[in-house]
Amino acid sequence: MSKSNPIFSSTVGKKLVMSLTGLFLCLFLIVHLIGNLQLFYNDAGYAFNKYAVFMTTFPPIKIVSYLLYASVIIHALYALILTRKNKAARPIGYKVYDGNAGSKWNSRNMGILGTIVLVFLVTHMQNFWYQYHWGEVPYIEYTKDLATGEISHQEISASDFHEFTSYVENGKEITKAKDLYRQVEFAFENIGLVVLYIIAMGAL
């Protein structure tokens, strides 16, 4: 009598893992979107750049980021495994096959949509995550009047920036940060990148 396969090594188990990792990715996407809405504040990127620092330095967020990377890899890997397994189970196609019967276009083309999303993720990470950590991102200094809330800013050179700093001096908050807000502006001046994002949002 053969033993049954453990749940996570079976086909159903792999689909369950894909569902859970996919759900996690969707939840992360929603939270990420909410955070990125700070791009629309009329403050020269003050709120968004502070948010970027929080997202890259707060320990619990960093742990979630590692879970995100693992989820992307596991989701993609299991998708490939299941696709190969399905093809191996029926090496010869159906004699008569109506691809439109009982299924929607997106469910029949998840491989294409998944590839588009993967290209989007790699491009997104390269343009922002990689550039923010190791690329040549502009630097900025904000001066916020704590009495009026008015914010002024000026670009600073790399020699004037060592790490994110924020301190109060003479009733004003001085903040020096990497200007990811400006990096976003630079990136989206590329019409090709804009088109890719629109297509990827449709794929999602």
Side-chain angles (χ1 to χ4, degrees):
M1 183 176 179
S2 61
K3 294 182 179 179
S4 59
N5 291 328
I7 181 63
F8 291 114
S9 63
S10 66
T11 298
V12 174
K14 288 183 174 65
K15 289 182 178 180
L16 175 61
V17 171
M18 283 194 68
S19 299
L20 293 175
T21 54
L23 178 61
F24 175 70
L25 294 174
C26 288
L27 291 174
F28 182 87
L29 184 64
I30 293 171
V31 174
H32 195 49
L33 171 63
I34 293 171
N36 285 346
L37 290 176
Q38 294 176 89
L39 283 165
F40 296 101
Y41 288 167
N42 186 25
D43 59 2
Y46 172 78
F48 179 74
N49 283 327
K50 294 190 78 171
Y51 163 73
V53 172
F54 171 77
M55 290 293 289
T56 54
T57 58
F58 189 52
I61 296 296
K62 294 182 74 172
I63 293 173
V64 171
S65 296
Y66 297 140
L67 291 175
L68 174 69
Y69 307 147
S71 294
V72 170
I73 294 171
I74 293 171
H75 192 84
L77 181 62
Y78 274 27
L80 290 173
I81 291 173
L82 288 171
T83 299
R84 289 174 62 89
K85 190 171 183 178
N86 289 339
K87 288 186 176 181
R90 181 174 286 277
I92 300 175
Y94 292 101
K95 186 174 182 180
V96 177
Y97 174 68
D98 183 1
N100 296 322
S103 63
K104 296 182 179 180
W105 182 90
N106 56 344
S107 65
R108 299 193 308 272
N109 294 276
M110 293 184 70
I112 296 174
L113 297 177
T115 301
I116 292 173
V117 172
L118 181 60
V119 171
F120 158 73
L121 285 174
V122 172
T123 304
H124 181 74
M125 296 291 283
Q126 192 279 329
N127 275 286
F128 303 112
W129 181 82
Y130 177 83
Q131 291 296 328
Y132 187 77
H133 286 85
W134 298 289
E136 296 182 0
V137 178
Y139 303 98
I140 193 167
E141 178 180 291
Y142 297 100
T143 301
K144 181 177 181 180
D145 191 315
L146 297 179
T148 64
E150 183 179 348
I151 300 173
S152 60
H153 65 279
Q154 63 177 350
E155 186 174 331
I156 58 177
S157 64
S159 60
D160 294 325
F161 179 86
H162 301 288
E163 61 182 9
F164 173 81
T165 55
S166 185
Y167 58 92
V168 176
E169 184 178 86
N170 298 324
K172 295 182 179 180
E173 180 191 69
I174 311 298
T175 302
K176 294 182 180 181
K178 289 185 176 181
D179 195 0
L180 188 61
Y181 175 83
R182 185 68 182 121
Q183 178 65 23
V184 172
E185 287 187 328
F186 287 149
F188 283 97
E189 289 173 359
N190 182 341
I191 188 64
L193 186 67
V194 174
V195 171
L196 173 61
Y197 269 66
I198 293 173
I199 293 173
M201 293 307 100
L204 286 169

